[in-house]
Amino acid sequence: MILLENIEKTYGAGETATTVLQGINLKIEEGEFVAIMGPSGSGKSTLLNILGTLDVPSRGKYLFLDTEVGTLSQDQRALFRRHILGFIFQGYNLLKKTTSLENVEIPLIYQGLGVKTCKMMAYEALKKVGLEDRIFYEPGQLSGGQQQRVAIARAMVAHPKVLIADEPTGNLDTKRGHEIMELIATFNKQGITVIMVTHEEDIAAYASRTIYLRDGMIEKEVNRAS
Amino acid sequence: MLRNAFFQALREIRRNLMRSLLTAIGIVIGIASVIAMVNIGKGASKSITQSVEKLGSNTLYIMPGQQRGPGNRGAIEIPFKKKDLETLRSSLYALEAISPVENASMTIIYKDQNYRTNIRGVENDYLVAQNWNLQEGRAFDKSELRTGQNVCIVGQTVIKTLFAPSELILGKRIRLKNFSCEVIGILEAKGANTFGSDQDDILLVPFSLFQRRISGSDNIHLMIAAVKENIPLVEAKVQIERLLRERRRIDSANEDNFSVRSMTALIDTISEVTTILTIMLGAVAAISLVVGGIGIMNIMLVSVTERTREIGIRMAVGAMAKDILIQFLIESIVLSGLGGIVGVVLGVAISFGATLWLDIALVIDPAITMIALLFSMLIGIVFGIIPARKAANMNPIDALRYE
């Protein structure tokens, strides 16, 4: 479904230019659960941002179902994120002083759905992550694990094809971290492709395939037959 | 999308209620003062016009010299004589009444009382032209007018000042510097005129007496004429002008060396002045609107910076640049629009209060109210566009990483 060919990412120009990614070739099939690992500065976040179309490659091809994503305009990339991708972040990135329901509604609002439909779908999504009794809570009133669940509900509410997760358990203790991973794994089993950056081996263990990056290049790939 | 942006904006304003209120106050004050200024200006203009009309919309003022601008008469000023007055009176059917008028400010004495008042030399037609009735006594008779006998008609203020409340007034003699005159009539109270001076502070004497004893000349510097009700003022004016030009032998190449003015001309001048004043005051008030707008821009820029992360999140879940632009633009429009609504209410309240306080007509101009409301929203757009563009042009990754 996703095909990266010779992806290169360079920041700056001339002598100060730093190459963060080079020669990345990667193929991700629909329904896969891919973990990206690597030390700090290995380019794993940049790769994830490129996959999430928040960033664009300097060179190379990014094909999504035969669509050249790398050359899309800014608005087209926004539409791509709106309809195809879901995001969860290490720091949850929920809107402050905004209820869970309102947070989860946001992607639906940008899809132009009616008020009632938005509320219904947001409620359903929160129910799936087990927070149907917390819909009117604001992030400040929720624990870290609960906040990440709201974030997952927001990522999943518009039924995306791919879930992009940037260290989803980074701010959580081991127990909550595994609960979140179980949740993500459940969505993966329902057919959603998951691409996740992590630096914890036991979190990466949820993935069917782990890609190790080093100095902007793919060092090795480990397949976990499950 | 717009609906959602609107509710989102209301939520955002409620979230930072204090800040929003303080920001909107700039717009509230601006809109309120524009509306109040315009309404009060129009109300004052209307009141002045009304009371000038009450003074006599059928009255013409005939004076020597040509009015070239407000208060600036031409150089040549040939006064009228008694013959001019009599010719006008006898030849013009259009005139209901015509009287010469001459004023002086003098001290009058009654018993041990000194009082400075306005002495006005007139004929009986003055009372007709001014629509002024006698409360007691009688007007001047023919021989009194012709020979200028020592008689006078007094106004209410003079009476209150000089006489005891129960004192019999008619027949008493009042001294004016070197002569005294008998009170033969008492004028009805007329109150203050449009410009606030007391019209009852007056003592009328026969015009011939005034000429002989006070001015010491046979010149006439002002004649007041009342035009018959069914005759247009302009027509009477033209007739008077034609007659005077003829009498003064002014050929067609030369301008009038006299002027015939009506209250309507005065009304025009007054409304011109009040219009200019209204525009000036409105313009000053409009400046405060601009200041209010800058306040909105300032707070929106702060808000955009504070909410950088939110913008990043929204972009990550699929908001296009234009969605972000619209969101912030609507927020500033709602903020300034709400300020505008409160400002309109406040402005109308101030206008209403001012009409009671200043005793002028209540005018609520719907046009300026609508314009003010639209303008407040326009301010939201004009001063909101820079912050909104700043928000919309953010790079999603940088915005997401912003701490």
Side-chain angles (χ1 to χ4, degrees):
Chain A
M1 181 166 61
I2 291 172
L3 185 67
L4 298 185
E5 278 181 7
N6 266 318
I7 290 292
E8 192 178 317
K9 182 68 188 177
T10 312
Y11 288 108
E15 287 185 11
T16 56
T18 38
T19 302
V20 184
L21 289 176
Q22 50 185 325
I24 302 285
N25 289 296
L26 185 62
K27 197 173 178 189
I28 298 171
E29 296 300 336
E30 186 161 4
E32 257 197 288
F33 191 153
V34 177
I36 302 171
M37 293 193 73
S40 303
S42 60
K44 56 186 191 298
S45 285
T46 306
L47 180 57
L48 195 71
N49 284 336
I50 288 173
L51 285 165
T53 72
L54 294 170
D55 208 344
V56 284
S58 308
R59 223 159 286 131
K61 259 189 179 173
Y62 173 6
L63 290 175
F64 186 94
L65 294 176
D66 299 330
T67 308
E68 174 63 75
V69 177
T71 56
L72 291 179
S73 74
Q74 211 180 333
D75 282 351
Q76 286 170 321
R77 276 185 278 131
L79 288 174
F80 181 73
R81 292 195 292 271
R82 185 184 292 182
H83 293 285
I84 310 289
L85 305 181
F87 284 88
I88 48 180
F89 306 91
Q90 179 177 2
Y92 324 130
N93 273 343
L94 298 175
L95 297 195
K96 279 178 257 169
K97 293 187 187 172
T98 304
T99 63
S100 310
L101 195 69
E102 286 168 343
N103 261 299
V104 176
E105 269 182 341
I106 295 169
L108 302 174
I109 289 171
Y110 288 120
Q111 294 202 352
L113 299 175
V115 176
K116 243 187 176 160
T117 319
C118 287
K119 296 240 181 287
M120 288 285 293
M121 288 176 75
Y123 176 76
E124 287 302 321
L126 281 163
K127 202 170 166 185
K128 276 187 195 159
V129 298
L131 285 176
E132 65 267 37
D133 56 344
R134 295 283 190 276
I135 57 170
F136 295 123
Y137 282 53
E138 291 173 2
Q141 299 165 306
L142 297 171
S143 71
Q146 288 170 329
Q147 288 187 52
Q148 194 61 297
R149 281 160 189 269
V150 174
I152 291 171
R154 182 182 63 193
M156 301 308 298
V157 70
H159 307 300
K161 288 204 169 349
V162 181
L163 177 65
I164 307 272
D166 190 358
E167 303 210 29
T169 61
N171 283 14
L172 300 172
D173 61 36
T174 315
K175 185 165 176 279
R176 307 278 167 243
H178 283 288
E179 282 173 16
I180 291 298
M181 287 318 297
E182 290 294 340
L183 198 56
I184 292 173
T186 314
F187 284 116
N188 176 242
K189 285 200 184 80
Q190 290 165 8
I192 286 158
T193 310
V194 179
I195 306 171
M196 172 182 72
V197 158
T198 182
H199 56 260
E200 293 167 79
E201 282 289 354
D202 58 334
I203 295 300
Y206 284 87
S208 51
R209 177 155 64 119
T210 305
I211 294 158
Y212 291 89
L213 286 186
R214 185 172 287 273
D215 300 328
M217 288 182 281
I218 295 178
E219 187 186 34
K220 60 175 176 176
E221 281 187 33
V222 174
N223 276 303
R224 216 171 264 103
S226 53
Chain B
M1 184 63 225
L2 281 179
R3 213 178 106 123
N4 259 302
F6 176 74
F7 287 114
Q8 169 71 25
L10 285 182
R11 265 206 296 274
E12 236 13 91
I13 285 166
R14 209 174 46 218
R15 200 163 291 167
N16 287 305
L17 194 59
M18 193 63 180
R19 187 163 88 183
S20 305
L21 284 180
L22 289 173
T23 310
I25 276 180
I27 299 295
V28 170
I29 291 174
I31 293 289
S33 41
V34 167
I35 286 186
M37 289 308 162
V38 170
N39 283 341
I40 292 171
K42 292 206 168 195
S45 176
K46 191 178 168 191
S47 293
I48 292 172
T49 309
Q50 276 173 351
S51 51
V52 167
E53 273 168 357
K54 230 183 284 168
L55 264 183
S57 50
N58 64 335
T59 314
L60 289 173
Y61 296 78
I62 307 157
M63 54 203 106
Q66 191 45 250
Q67 183 108 15
R68 298 199 190 260
N72 171 25
R73 279 192 210 167
I76 324 146
E77 232 181 83
I78 307 159
F80 301 117
K81 301 289 181 192
K82 196 162 175 57
K83 192 83 182 116
D84 294 310
L85 174 72
E86 271 159 14
T87 312
L88 284 173
R89 182 178 282 154
S90 57
S91 336
L92 293 184
Y93 166 78
L95 299 185
E96 166 108 43
I98 182 163
S99 165
V101 178
E102 205 81 358
N103 282 304
S105 178
M106 282 172 67
T107 305
I108 55 174
I109 301 159
Y110 176 71
K111 289 185 180 164
D112 58 346
Q113 303 256 39
N114 275 318
Y115 182 60
R116 198 167 181 83
T117 185
N118 301 304
I119 314 296
R120 187 167 296 166
V122 294
E123 293 181 358
N124 286 338
D125 268 3
Y126 174 78
L127 298 176
V128 179
Q130 294 285 303
N131 199 14
W132 208 347
N133 296 323
L134 292 178
Q135 186 184 301
E136 264 181 72
R138 59 175 177 84
F140 307 120
D141 67 25
K142 270 197 178 130
S143 71
E144 283 165 353
L145 283 172
R146 198 178 62 247
T147 58
Q149 285 173 32
N150 294 354
V151 289
C152 61
I153 299 171
V154 288
Q156 292 290 334
T157 304
V158 174
I159 290 170
K160 279 189 198 106
T161 316
L162 292 185
F163 297 93
S166 57
E167 205 175 342
L168 198 67
I169 299 159
L170 293 177
K172 295 280 159 49
R173 295 192 82 81
I174 293 175
R175 275 197 70 77
L176 287 90
K177 65 177 185 188
N178 53 355
F179 66 99
S180 70
C181 58
E182 182 191 339
V183 179
I184 57 162
I186 298 169
L187 287 164
E188 268 180 4
K190 208 163 192 187
N193 69 6
T194 317
F195 311 102
S197 66
D198 180 9
Q199 300 178 88
D200 296 322
D201 188 4
I202 200 164
L203 187 134
L204 301 180
V205 297
F207 190 73
S208 44
L209 175 68
F210 190 99
Q211 285 188 323
R212 186 158 53 80
R213 293 283 203 170
I214 299 171
S215 68
S217 92
D218 61 349
N219 292 338
I220 297 174
H221 295 100
L222 174 64
M223 292 184 278
I224 293 182
V227 178
K228 287 201 174 116
E229 222 166 279
N230 53 353
I231 293 170
L233 205 62
V234 193
E235 200 184 306
K237 190 177 172 221
V238 169
Q239 286 181 14
I240 294 170
E241 281 167 351
R242 198 184 300 139
L243 192 67
L244 286 175
R245 283 179 74 88
E246 201 177 293
R247 284 189 58 75
R248 301 188 149 215
R249 297 198 177 78
I250 303 169
D251 59 38
S252 55
N254 286 310
E255 279 186 10
D256 294 348
N257 58 6
F258 60 90
S259 57
V260 182
R261 296 201 289 145
S262 60
M263 277 299 174
T264 25
L266 184 60
I267 290 170
D268 289 346
T269 311
I270 289 171
S271 48
E272 207 173 292
V273 170
T274 47
T275 304
I276 291 169
L277 273 177
T278 305
I279 290 171
M280 271 178 56
L281 289 172
V284 170
I287 290 172
S288 66
L289 263 181
V290 173
V291 175
I294 292 170
I296 286 202
M297 176 153 73
N298 187 18
I299 223 65
M300 288 307 296
L301 282 170
V302 170
S303 180
V304 165
T305 308
E306 275 183 0
R307 286 154 66 193
T308 301
R309 252 186 118 82
E310 174 190 331
I311 294 162
I313 295 166
R314 288 178 180 278
M315 285 177 161
V317 302
M320 288 194 253
K322 94 169 188 255
D323 297 321
I324 303 290
L325 185 87
I326 288 171
Q327 185 194 334
F328 280 92
L329 206 50
I330 289 208
E331 210 170 303
S332 66
I333 294 172
V334 168
L335 192 59
S336 65
L338 286 179
I341 291 170
V342 177
V344 163
V345 173
L346 188 67
V348 168
I350 292 172
S351 314
F352 188 70
T355 55
L356 295 178
W357 177 256
L358 301 171
D359 197 20
I360 55 174
L362 175 64
V363 176
I364 303 295
D365 189 339
I368 197 73
T369 310
M370 281 312 296
I371 290 170
L373 265 182
L374 291 178
F375 195 72
S376 70
M377 290 179 194
L378 185 70
I379 281 179
I381 295 174
V382 168
F383 291 96
I385 194 85
I386 292 175
R389 286 182 65 108
K390 188 183 165 196
N393 289 340
M394 280 181 184
N395 178 340
I397 312 176
D398 296 341
L400 272 170
R401 285 190 190 140
Y402 185 84
E403 288 299 331

